[in-house]
Amino acid sequence: MGIVLAYVAQRFHYDVTQLEAARGQIIGYSDERQVQADFESNHLSGTALALYPDSYPLGAKGNFFPYQVTAIRDILAELQGVVKWGGDMEPSKESTFFIDVPPGSPKLALIADTLRQWRLTPGKGAGTQNIADPKRITAAKKLASKQAA
């Protein structure tokens, strides 16, 4: 599951906004048990990733430009719905991405294997997508309507 969340961070860096250490925190596993929204507890199991949570706090919406939302939706669609975006949750937390399949999911294992292969294959993986491809946009919109909270 770590490979999947790492891929989300890579794609976010390439297609949404550049990740920079000086800009804020990036949080994966956390032992913080006080959560404001149920999905934040996914950090306790290491199945969530928060990218700049201070910049995109709980309840704040509309923090991304439309092209950035298109890129986020493309990332989720490419991962075939095994990851969900906190921007689709209520309350919203646009900094958060989390695994949205049960432990031991064959779909998660398949996606992780695909990502491992892409690491070894030139022209595959993060940084190689054309997020403006109409087929990708259609797939991303379809998944977004399915994942809406």
Side-chain angles (χ1 to χ4, degrees):
M1 131 179 41
I3 191 168
V4 174
L5 293 175
Y7 186 76
V8 170
Q10 273 187 301
R11 286 284 317 271
F12 190 92
H13 175 76
Y14 289 134
D15 298 324
V16 180
T17 190
Q18 189 174 14
L19 297 175
E20 301 168 334
R23 189 167 163 213
Q25 289 185 310
I26 297 172
I27 301 169
Y29 169 79
S30 172
D31 61 2
E32 179 59 50
R33 294 191 176 277
Q34 291 184 339
V35 297
Q36 295 175 311
D38 290 344
F39 63 89
E40 290 180 312
S41 68
N42 288 309
H43 287 285
L44 288 165
S45 60
T47 59
L49 176 67
L51 304 170
Y52 306 139
D54 291 339
S55 296
Y56 312 114
L58 187 69
K61 291 183 178 183
N63 294 296
F64 292 105
F65 291 107
Y67 79 89
Q68 292 172 307
V69 174
T70 298
I72 289 168
R73 300 239 177 261
D74 185 73
I75 296 166
L76 302 174
E78 186 172 55
L79 297 175
Q80 300 178 25
V82 302
V83 173
K84 194 164 186 178
W85 179 39
D88 289 330
M89 302 302 292
E90 192 56 49
S92 176
K93 189 167 186 184
E94 294 179 334
S95 60
T96 301
F97 298 85
F98 58 93
I99 302 295
D100 193 37
V101 292
S105 165
K107 191 172 185 180
L108 178 60
L110 180 65
I111 295 296
D113 287 343
T114 298
L115 295 176
R116 284 185 196 94
Q117 285 302 311
W118 286 356
R119 284 183 173 179
L120 305 173
T121 308
K124 295 284 187 182
T128 64
Q129 295 75 11
N130 174 7
I131 63 171
D133 180 324
K135 291 178 185 173
R136 293 181 77 96
I137 291 172
T138 299
K141 286 180 179 179
K142 184 178 177 182
L143 179 64
S145 66
K146 182 179 175 183
Q147 285 188 332

